[in-house]
Amino acid sequence: MLKVIIGSAFTFFLVGATALAANAPKKPTGNSGLASVYSYGRTASGERLIPTNLTGAHRTLPFGTKVQVTNRRNGRSVVVRINDRGPFIRGRVIDVTPAAARALGFSGLAPVTLDVIDRRG
């Protein structure tokens, strides 16, 4: 009888904990920080930077990696291809082209979350 009571209490605890976890606010799963806009010359991969392309610069991800960038202020997101190195300013996690910044709804700086979609290299 005691085993049944303990087992029932344990099951109730697990079901309750699962329900609480399901209703908990979602935390960003990727790298978070500031995104900035850039649009200068050649990239570290040797490509010419084209401001109308959806590309970006990241310090460590391999060239060709596709990253979903989500603006935490407005929820808008875009997938960019990493083709450059940077940013090299503390707190910034990615530089994006003007086209990507427009798609994300910002100019200058914005708080973002990065999620790797397709890792190359």
Side-chain angles (χ1 to χ4, degrees):
M1 179 71 172
L2 184 58
K3 286 182 182 180
V4 171
I5 292 172
I6 291 173
S8 297
F10 184 70
T11 303
F12 179 75
F13 173 75
L14 283 179
V15 170
T18 303
L20 287 175
N23 293 329
K26 302 259 189 248
K27 291 185 180 178
T29 58
N31 194 7
S32 296
L34 289 176
S36 55
V37 183
Y38 79 126
S39 59
Y40 51 85
R42 287 234 174 253
T43 65
S45 67
E47 298 176 31
R48 189 170 60 99
L49 186 124
I50 301 170
T52 56
N53 286 355
L54 297 176
T55 59
H58 190 274
R59 286 184 211 106
T60 59
L61 290 173
F63 296 140
T65 299
K66 291 186 179 167
V67 179
Q68 180 174 336
V69 183
T70 303
N71 184 333
R72 293 194 329 249
R73 284 192 187 129
N74 61 20
R76 291 168 70 174
S77 64
V78 68
V79 175
V80 300
R81 181 177 53 86
I82 302 300
N83 70 342
D84 202 2
R85 291 288 169 236
F88 299 107
I89 297 175
R90 186 182 190 112
R92 296 190 191 173
V93 294
I94 194 166
D95 285 332
V96 296
T97 58
R102 271 191 303 281
L104 291 165
F106 81 93
S107 61
L109 299 174
V112 297
T113 299
L114 307 181
D115 290 296
V116 174
I117 302 294
D118 182 19
R119 185 182 288 266
R120 299 293 171 159

